[in-house]
Amino acid sequence: MVHQSTRVGPRYPQVVVLFGATGDLARRKLLPGLFRLVCLGFVPGGRIVGVSLDKIDAAAFRDIARKALDEFAARKPTDAEWAAFAAMLDYVPLGECPGGLKVAAARAVEAIGADARLVHYLSVPPAAALAAVRTIEEAGLAAESRIIMEKPFGVDLASAKSLNAELHKVFDEEQIFRIDHFLGKEPAQNILAFRFANGLFEPIWNRNFIDHVQIDVPETLGLGMRAAFYEPTGAYRDMVVTHLFQILAFVAMEPPTELAPGAIGEEKNKVFRSMGTIDPAAVVRGQYQGYRAEPGVNPESDTETLVALKCIIDNWRWAGVPFYLRTGKRMAESQRIISIAFREPPKSMFPAGSGVGAQGPDHLTFDLADISKVSLSFYGKRPGPGMRLDKLSLQFAMQDTGLAGDVLEAYERLILDAMRGDHTLFNTAEGIERLWEISTPLLENPPPVRLYEQGSWGPKSVHQLIAPHAWRLPFERAWRKEGPPAKKA
């Protein structure tokens, strides 16, 4: 696949400065992702400089990286691949920065060429982000470099504005890449292709044909060891502002003038500007039973582990179409779907008892798992005498194409885009600040949390929120089991 790197890889050799290099995200996603990009030929001749609090040397960091690849890489490295990747790795303890970092970066640039470009990945807690920015500045490594920021981007409007103002003292907006791994997923990008490349769906993507939209991301996982982060954050700040609203923008945006970062970013921001403020009365906050007994959690915690809400986009295309969002921890299933519910036609021609409308409206459903799946449900006649209708579906999975192996994992795609300077799948300062602005009424006056059983679909009030409609999850008809991949013609 090296031939692809000339088309989609970065123009210059890359030095990745990875802050938080020994942390969980780095071990699970970033180091395996960088390894795969190198093996695919997308990042030839690069260097990776790890930075963290651990007082270790480069050899110990290589040991950590090797264990991460053995445990989390999709494919275990061969001896030759590991040797090549290990040679790219260097390490500087945070206590030796900024001087040690400046020396290590210069050593990396010298090894791969003076035209090398730096990408700083801040895989650190939000409270440590600005300290890392100052370290980069003091090491003299900010100019002409790029910086990838992890969520959350503030916790409210004031903190988001303050964070952006501090960032802009060191980096121009064009240098900043605020990452959202949901947008790096292949299915999220496929929404744009599905909407704007197909004459069957483009004309009906509006209030005249669509009744409502659901974005539903339940998780079976609990808090884990994240109490220090999650307690002051909660599900809304953790998931809705930084993930679900971004997916909503892809679903709702107008056609961009071109498939380019500036044009797409502007259309996303138009959606955010058109969104009404979040009404606390249209929000359900839940907390799974047993959360308050988790290590590090306040026994009287009011933090929500589930949130469901209705939001409105007050523009010509979507006037009167509600968007329902739900996400939560310790729920019945882990799913990530977007479901478009179409308006139902008149049914007067069908006899009583035919079953028309009995199973709800037709739905177009996207599965946001790493391997794309799409389903279109519709009513069809049941074979036999009389007019009995059943709900049927057409389904597609990326596995059917035989190309599933070409899919880049979300972090791999986003790191590659940042190296190329492509902002298409990243959040802007304007967009983030606008989302915190519309969230202010909810953050200032949140409804009380309602307890729900672990392994359930949340408190009963989530169903009252969406009534008279119903949540698509749990599915009545599961995705079809994957068959063997189709042979390439």
Side-chain angles (χ1 to χ4, degrees):
M1 292 187 64
V2 176
H3 65 282
Q4 288 192 354
S5 66
T6 59
R7 180 161 50 87
V8 299
R11 182 178 177 184
Y12 301 101
Q14 301 289 312
V15 176
V16 178
V17 179
L18 179 54
F19 285 83
T22 60
D24 187 64
L25 178 62
R27 291 187 304 106
R28 288 178 176 272
K29 294 292 185 180
L30 305 182
L31 289 169
L34 287 165
F35 169 74
R36 185 163 184 243
L37 291 177
V38 170
C39 289
L40 290 173
F42 290 129
V43 193
R47 289 292 186 273
I48 300 167
V49 180
V51 180
S52 80
L53 290 168
D54 294 291
K55 297 178 181 180
I56 58 176
D57 59 13
F61 177 53
R62 292 188 187 103
D63 289 340
I64 291 171
R66 180 58 195 254
K67 291 176 182 176
L69 299 188
D70 287 341
E71 187 173 357
F72 299 113
R75 181 180 59 80
K76 302 301 179 279
T78 65
D79 290 343
E81 289 170 340
W82 167 246
F85 188 67
M88 299 172 61
L89 301 177
D90 199 355
Y91 183 83
V92 181
L94 190 60
E96 297 180 11
C97 294
L101 178 57
K102 183 175 183 177
V103 171
R107 186 164 57 235
V109 171
E110 182 180 2
I112 60 177
D115 60 346
R117 297 292 189 268
L118 270 67
V119 175
H120 308 284
Y121 197 119
L122 271 54
S123 178
V124 297
L130 289 179
V133 169
R134 286 192 291 272
T135 297
I136 294 167
E137 182 183 26
E138 291 168 3
L141 301 178
E144 297 185 6
S145 68
R146 293 169 177 142
I147 183 169
I148 303 176
M149 304 284 296
E150 277 287 341
K151 70 174 181 74
F153 315 107
V155 295
D156 52 24
L157 180 58
S159 61
K161 285 185 172 181
S162 175
L163 175 60
N164 284 326
E166 292 299 313
L167 282 173
H168 289 153
K169 291 178 181 178
V170 181
F171 296 99
D172 294 334
E173 180 66 17
E174 291 73 23
Q175 296 176 270
I176 303 170
F177 292 77
R178 299 170 185 83
I179 197 167
D180 175 6
H181 72 272
F182 269 49
L183 294 187
K185 292 180 177 294
E186 196 76 21
Q189 302 161 54
N190 200 34
I191 294 170
L192 299 182
F194 203 93
R195 283 192 57 189
F196 300 126
N198 292 294
L200 177 62
F201 293 104
E202 190 279 330
I204 64 172
W205 210 266
N206 57 59
R207 58 186 168 82
N208 295 320
F209 298 95
I210 292 177
D211 183 78
H212 67 278
V213 177
Q214 297 180 30
I215 302 175
D216 204 357
V217 186
E219 297 179 314
T220 57
L221 294 175
L223 187 60
M225 303 303 293
R226 302 175 68 214
F229 164 77
Y230 203 83
E231 258 291 270
T233 305
Y236 184 83
R237 290 180 171 95
D238 184 36
M239 290 290 293
V240 176
V241 175
T242 50
H243 291 324
L244 272 60
F245 280 160
Q246 305 299 326
I247 293 294
L248 179 151
F250 267 28
V251 174
M253 63 190 277
E254 295 295 320
T257 54
E258 59 179 331
L259 200 63
I264 292 175
E266 175 57 22
E267 295 305 332
K268 284 178 59 183
N269 286 339
K270 284 182 182 178
V271 173
F272 299 147
R273 290 196 291 267
S274 298
M275 290 174 64
T277 54
I278 305 302
D279 182 1
V283 178
V284 174
R285 297 170 68 240
Q287 185 185 91
Y288 66 77
Q289 294 177 357
Y291 171 79
R292 295 174 182 175
E294 298 272 17
V297 172
N298 184 340
E300 299 180 356
S301 174
D302 189 49
T303 298
E304 80 279 359
T305 62
L306 173 147
V307 64
L309 64 146
K310 179 176 77 171
C311 56
I312 298 297
I313 301 174
D314 191 17
N315 63 16
W316 188 266
R317 180 181 294 266
W318 297 111
V321 177
F323 285 70
Y324 297 100
L325 282 57
R326 178 174 67 171
T327 185
K329 294 189 173 299
R330 293 289 189 198
M331 296 182 69
E333 296 178 21
S334 287
Q335 293 273 2
R336 296 173 177 179
I337 70 159
I338 304 166
S339 196
I340 313 296
F342 293 101
R343 295 194 181 278
E344 297 187 64
K347 312 180 187 88
S348 57
M349 63 175 282
F350 293 97
S354 66
V356 64
Q359 298 182 56
D362 300 336
H363 286 87
L364 176 65
T365 302
F366 297 87
D367 187 339
L368 292 181
D370 287 328
I371 304 299
S372 301
K373 287 191 281 191
V374 181
S375 174
L376 178 63
S377 70
F378 57 93
Y379 284 98
K381 183 183 178 300
R382 181 186 300 179
M387 181 58 73
R388 288 284 298 167
L389 303 182
D390 285 330
K391 206 60 177 289
L392 309 172
S393 68
L394 298 171
Q395 294 188 11
F396 161 80
M398 184 62 70
Q399 296 281 9
D400 299 335
T401 66
L403 299 175
D406 292 348
V407 174
L408 290 179
E409 198 272 336
Y411 281 99
E412 297 167 358
R413 168 64 187 263
L414 293 169
I415 291 171
L416 187 63
D417 282 356
M419 289 178 173
R420 296 168 57 233
D422 186 341
H423 279 88
T424 302
L425 302 176
F426 293 86
N427 302 317
T428 66
E430 177 188 339
I432 288 294
E433 290 178 11
R434 171 58 183 167
L435 291 175
W436 285 122
E437 181 182 2
I438 66 173
S439 301
T440 298
L442 173 64
L443 299 179
E444 292 182 345
N445 187 30
V449 294
R450 301 174 183 271
L451 296 180
Y452 63 95
E453 292 183 7
Q454 296 187 33
S456 73
W457 289 99
K460 292 181 180 179
S461 44
V462 302
H463 304 291
Q464 298 166 355
L465 173 72
I466 200 172
H469 312 300
W471 293 101
R472 289 280 284 151
L473 293 174
F475 284 133
E476 292 182 4
R477 290 166 301 283
W479 292 102
R480 295 195 184 101
K481 292 184 178 180
E482 297 170 359
K487 293 182 179 180
K488 295 182 181 179

